[in-house]
Amino acid sequence: MTRHIRFAAVLCVLLLVALLVNATRLQVFQAADYEDNPANRRQTIARYGQPRGNILVGGRPITGSKDTGEQLRYERTYLDGPLYAPVTGFASQVYGTSLLEDTEDGVLSGADPMLAPFPLLGDLTRARNAGGDVVTTLHEGAQRAAYEGLGGRTGAVAAVEPSSGRILALVSTPSYNPEALSGNGPSVERSWVGLNEDPDKPMLNRAARQTYPPGSTFKVVTAAAALDAGVVTDVDEATDSPDPYRLPGSSTSLTNEAEGCADASLRAAFMWSCNTVFAKLGVRVGVGDLAATAQAFGFNGTGMRIPYAVAPSTFDTSVDAAQLALSAIGQYNTRATPLQMAMVAAAVANGGQVREPYLVERTTRRDGATLDTAGPRPVRQAMHPATAVRLRELMEDVVREGTGTNAAIPGATVGGKTGTAQHGIGNSGTPYAWFVSWAQGERDVEPKVAVAVVVEDADADRGEISGGGDAAPIARAVMEAVLGG
């Protein structure tokens, strides 16, 4: 009898060991495979079983969560959804996440193990913690001023703080309400199809993910290259530039919208945006130095994230002399996002230094305890400090008495540059109206904001002045909002 009891005990121990081994195999070694299996809905149910953390602007949530009482219980809601869509993106139960909702999903959904009071224990238990919050760098007044300024027109605005790289506004129009994609009902699919088939592309983030020919706003870069290279040593000296200017090696002549560009000084050419002067300067500077300056500003970079990816702005380095002349005035293959051109204006305002832009100030737990902060941003010297001082003067002239007077703010120092970018086959498209600028308040020790505005469907028949007529008032409103606090 005793022998049978021992035999049964050993068998029970072996069965227990086998059970433990199998449980370990399933719960440890194969857990990820089961979690990722499309047939396993537990993770999805858990993901939407609690409210999502919020995205904050100026300390105020611009997102929320709605209890539907369904199996996928909580759906995402948005306050002023179209206003902030280029920042938040969407969080959909069907179509996933985009933009900040995507890059910060671990914190917002509660999946980030750092949200646990004891992170190592959280890894072992695989428990889902309450979603954390994402605090943005946005200035609510600047964001709203940019959105309202664009109105019903197609375009984008980007604004940054020159000294830090903090993004103060990021607007793209036409926009959409991300809440239309939040749930999982039939209306969500209809909204998705409608938004993707809309020829106006409301889900396109034009401020950070669409590149345009920058037109004459690129002359800021060309002027910086010419001054740094010593091609121009006196901004008031005649440049020996003909009007019209025949592009090297071709029979094509470049003309100007403005009068008095023949042999104009750099100061006058910048103030009235003389194409002929800057095209010839670009050729004199050479592709190597002009490309190097453009790259120092951020062109041809491929890794910019804010934290979501930004489309690279480009300056073609494989050009002949005629193409280089056009590139120097922001045409040919030169392409830039509004965010990149805001960085160009910010570098002028910041003594020639470029700060990498960023959109997230910090992430926090639900109780407000900080998880992570942006920290100091890398600095890149785009031009000599003395060159930046000269360019500040030139940009101030544009606003004081040149093509950018519509950007002037009483009591503040404002610098700017207008632009009209040709595009389409044979330049047949309606030109894009551009304006880049920076502003410093009367009591500020340094410029507080740099802005870039592009309007795609502006009334741009008047060449360079259209940038001042269509885009400059929008930039002024954004700058006023920031300077006003």
Side-chain angles (χ1 to χ4, degrees):
M1 186 67 181
T2 304
R3 183 170 64 85
H4 292 297
I5 293 174
R6 286 200 301 269
F7 178 78
V10 170
L11 181 61
C12 288
V13 169
L14 290 175
L15 290 173
L16 181 61
V17 169
L19 183 64
L20 291 173
V21 169
N22 189 54
T24 302
R25 178 180 66 86
L26 291 174
Q27 296 184 19
V28 177
F29 296 103
Q30 293 185 346
D33 293 335
Y34 284 107
E35 284 182 359
D36 296 336
N37 192 311
N40 179 17
R41 286 179 54 83
R42 293 180 63 188
Q43 289 294 320
T44 302
I45 293 170
R47 175 183 177 85
Y48 298 109
Q50 65 180 26
R52 191 170 172 83
N54 286 317
I55 298 172
L56 278 63
V57 173
R60 183 174 68 105
I62 59 171
T63 58
S65 296
K66 177 176 65 177
D67 189 348
T68 66
E70 299 177 0
Q71 189 178 51
L72 302 184
R73 183 171 174 180
Y74 286 95
E75 291 180 5
R76 194 57 149 168
T77 61
Y78 295 88
L79 179 67
D80 291 325
L83 173 63
Y84 293 107
V87 175
T88 62
F90 58 79
S92 171
Q93 294 178 353
V94 178
Y95 299 107
T97 54
S98 69
L99 304 184
L100 279 191
E101 292 278 28
D102 182 56
T103 59
E104 304 301 318
D105 182 64
V107 171
L108 294 167
S109 68
D112 191 325
M114 293 305 295
L115 289 165
F118 305 100
L120 292 179
L121 182 61
D123 280 344
L124 293 174
T125 62
R126 299 180 184 274
R128 185 175 290 270
N129 302 287
D133 294 335
V134 175
V135 180
T136 70
T137 59
L138 292 180
H139 185 289
E140 183 179 0
Q143 184 80 1
R144 193 170 297 278
Y147 186 78
E148 292 177 353
L150 284 168
R153 294 174 293 181
T154 301
V157 178
V160 300
E161 184 177 69
S163 62
S164 66
R166 297 170 69 245
I167 296 175
L168 304 177
L170 205 66
V171 169
S172 176
T173 56
S175 188
Y176 72 106
N177 189 352
E179 195 166 328
L181 304 176
S182 293
N184 53 51
S187 63
V188 172
E189 182 178 358
R190 289 194 297 269
S191 296
W192 177 261
V193 172
L195 288 169
N196 280 282
E197 291 182 350
D198 190 331
D200 290 333
K201 300 181 180 179
M203 288 201 295
L204 174 62
N205 184 341
R206 291 174 167 83
R209 291 189 164 177
Q210 174 72 12
T211 61
Y212 302 86
S216 291
T217 59
F218 190 79
K219 292 171 183 175
V220 176
V221 178
T222 303
L227 289 165
D228 271 1
V231 171
V232 175
T233 56
D234 184 349
V235 297
D236 293 306
E237 185 178 88
T239 55
D240 190 25
S241 302
D243 183 10
Y245 170 62
R246 194 173 75 177
L247 299 180
S250 78
S251 58
T252 302
S253 291
L254 189 66
T255 59
N256 300 289
E257 293 291 336
E259 300 290 336
C261 288
D263 204 27
S265 67
L266 180 62
R267 185 186 301 278
F270 196 89
M271 188 186 308
W272 299 108
S273 209
C274 297
N275 289 331
T276 52
V277 173
F278 281 91
K280 184 177 179 181
L281 277 180
V283 174
R284 290 179 61 195
V285 170
V287 66
D289 284 345
L290 187 52
T293 300
Q295 288 167 6
F297 276 103
F299 285 79
N300 295 340
T302 57
M304 186 189 297
R305 304 187 68 89
I306 61 171
Y308 56 78
V310 176
S313 299
T314 56
F315 181 84
D316 195 341
T317 58
S318 58
V319 291
D320 60 27
Q323 293 163 345
L324 176 59
L326 294 175
S327 299
I329 59 172
Q331 297 289 167
Y332 189 57
N333 286 340
T334 307
R335 307 279 299 186
T337 62
L339 181 58
Q340 173 61 66
M341 294 313 297
M343 291 168 59
V344 169
V348 175
N350 195 40
Q353 291 186 334
V354 178
R355 292 275 187 177
E356 288 293 316
Y358 65 101
L359 190 52
V360 175
E361 196 76 76
R362 65 183 182 277
T363 55
T364 70
R365 293 190 177 92
R366 182 62 59 86
D367 62 6
T370 297
L371 286 174
D372 193 18
T373 61
R377 310 302 292 173
V379 181
R380 188 171 60 247
Q381 194 72 37
M383 67 191 105
H384 296 308
T387 296
V389 171
R390 292 179 185 175
L391 276 176
R392 281 185 61 161
E393 295 174 358
L394 297 182
M395 293 183 76
E396 288 174 36
D397 290 344
V398 169
V399 174
R400 184 169 50 249
E401 52 184 319
T403 58
T405 54
N406 282 334
I409 300 173
T413 302
V414 180
K417 181 71 189 78
T418 56
T420 301
Q422 306 294 330
H423 67 101
I425 299 174
N427 292 334
S428 59
T430 300
Y432 300 137
W434 276 94
F435 192 73
V436 300
S437 60
W438 52 266
Q440 179 175 344
E442 194 172 15
R443 299 180 180 178
D444 298 325
V445 296
E446 60 187 2
K448 291 183 65 176
V449 58
V451 186
V453 178
V454 62
V455 181
E456 291 188 25
D457 50 359
D459 179 14
D461 294 333
R462 293 171 294 159
E464 298 301 332
I465 300 177
S466 68
D470 293 295
I474 302 172
R476 182 187 64 223
V478 173
M479 293 185 293
E480 285 178 327
V482 175
L483 295 181

